[in-house]
Amino acid sequence: MPLVPKLRLHLADEAQTIDDPAGDQVPGALRRMGVNVTLIDDEMLATGDLSTFNTIVVGVRASEARPEFVANNGRLRQYMEQGGTLIAVQGAVRFPIEFGWARTVDVETPQGMNAQKPLVNAEISNPNSQIFYGYEKTIFPVKFTQGAQVFRVGSADQAKIAAKYVGGDGAVLSGLGVGMDAVAGRAFVVDIPGANNGKGRVVLFANNPIYRWQNHGEFNMVFNAIMNWNDGK
């Protein structure tokens, strides 16, 4: 595995992400961690050779703001068939789920809670996962972004759950979070090798691990997934 994988980063809001301080600035965050990042434009998505890249990261609003992303889903399917790794965060997880690359994994919105982006405790479900390389404890803090969803995982894929929310109001470390029992033990990170008919790999984050420079402690989850792009293949 190369020290710096060839990474193509696909984002819906490229201009905002790069230029707007209020944007998520995912490319900048990854570049600061030493990852070689190139944004995929529409031409590359439609005609370029995606197989030369180890990992594609799908930004939060990709399927909403860029119709070319949805229109070229067949190109990404081909990328998966060639053994590529796809990482999707928050709203973008709908794309691999709807195209059958997440097996029994689906998303749902927790009910009966009021969470205004609190910092909450999460728990590593699979301590052997390279997503959590360097994490000294199984309990760690994450930002529960407003409107965040959780994964519903079928019994056949329980072993693919990488992390869950601890849940309960006692797991709220700071900020407003009431009714957090609704997310107790619910998965928010899943890692699915062989996602497309036994080929490729999909890593899904129901939260946004790189959120506007506010949650630096979570950046490593994405960084580790990129650096260990072939883990479990």
Side-chain angles (χ1 to χ4, degrees), residues 148-196:
Q149 296 183 304
V150 294
F151 291 123
R152 181 174 66 250
V153 184
S155 58
D157 293 313
Q158 287 292 308
K160 296 176 176 60
I161 297 174
K164 300 178 179 180
Y165 291 113
V166 171
D169 293 349
V172 177
L173 302 175
S174 67
L176 175 61
V178 179
M180 299 299 288
D181 286 338
V183 297
R186 301 305 303 273
F188 72 97
V189 184
V190 294
D191 188 352
I192 310 169
N196 183 34

Side-chain angles (χ1 to χ4, degrees), residues 17-232:
T17 300
I18 296 172
D19 301 324
D20 186 351
D24 290 341
Q25 302 189 26
V26 177
L30 294 175
R31 288 182 179 121
R32 289 183 64 173
M33 291 188 286
V35 178
N36 179 22
V37 178
T38 302
L39 295 176
I40 293 181
D41 58 21
D42 294 342
E43 181 179 0
M44 169 62 74
L45 183 61
T47 63
D49 184 6
L50 302 179
S51 68
T52 61
F53 299 95
N54 297 332
T55 306
I56 292 177
V57 178
V58 185
V60 174
R61 289 168 288 275
S63 59
E64 298 175 7
R66 289 186 62 178
E68 297 82 2
F69 175 71
V70 178
N72 286 285
N73 65 79
R75 298 264 299 141
L76 291 172
R77 183 180 296 278
Q78 182 183 39
Y79 170 78
M80 293 288 294
E81 290 174 350
Q82 294 169 334
T85 294
L86 187 76
I87 299 173
V89 301
Q90 204 164 342
V93 303
R94 288 298 326 166
F95 176 78
I97 288 173
E98 290 175 359
F99 283 93
W101 302 337
R103 293 173 56 88
T104 66
V105 178
D106 204 346
V107 289
E108 60 184 44
T109 301
Q111 302 297 316
M113 57 186 295
N114 181 10
Q116 304 297 319
K117 302 180 182 178
L119 194 68
V120 303
N121 272 331
E123 182 175 11
I124 297 172
S125 302
N126 180 8
N128 294 320
S129 171
Q130 291 301 308
I131 294 172
F132 299 104
Y133 175 81
Y135 282 64
E136 296 181 354
K137 299 179 180 179
T138 57
I139 303 295
F140 65 102
V142 297
K143 178 181 283 293
F144 190 90
T145 50
Q146 195 167 0
Q149 296 183 304
V150 294
F151 291 123
R152 181 174 66 250
V153 184
S155 58
D157 293 313
Q158 287 292 308
K160 296 176 176 60
I161 297 174
K164 300 178 179 180
Y165 291 113
V166 171
D169 293 349
V172 177
L173 302 175
S174 67
L176 175 61
V178 179
M180 299 299 288
D181 286 338
V183 297
R186 301 305 303 273
F188 72 97
V189 184
V190 294
D191 188 352
I192 310 169
N196 183 34
N197 296 322
K199 299 178 181 178
R201 178 190 180 202
V202 167
V203 180
L204 304 179
F205 295 91
N207 64 332
N208 185 358
I210 302 181
Y211 180 77
R212 302 183 182 180
W213 298 100
Q214 294 182 16
N215 52 346
H216 294 180
E218 297 175 52
F219 286 13
N220 281 344
M221 289 190 288
V222 175
F223 180 73
N224 285 340
I226 291 169
M227 295 302 292
N228 296 280
W229 57 274
N230 60 349
D231 184 42

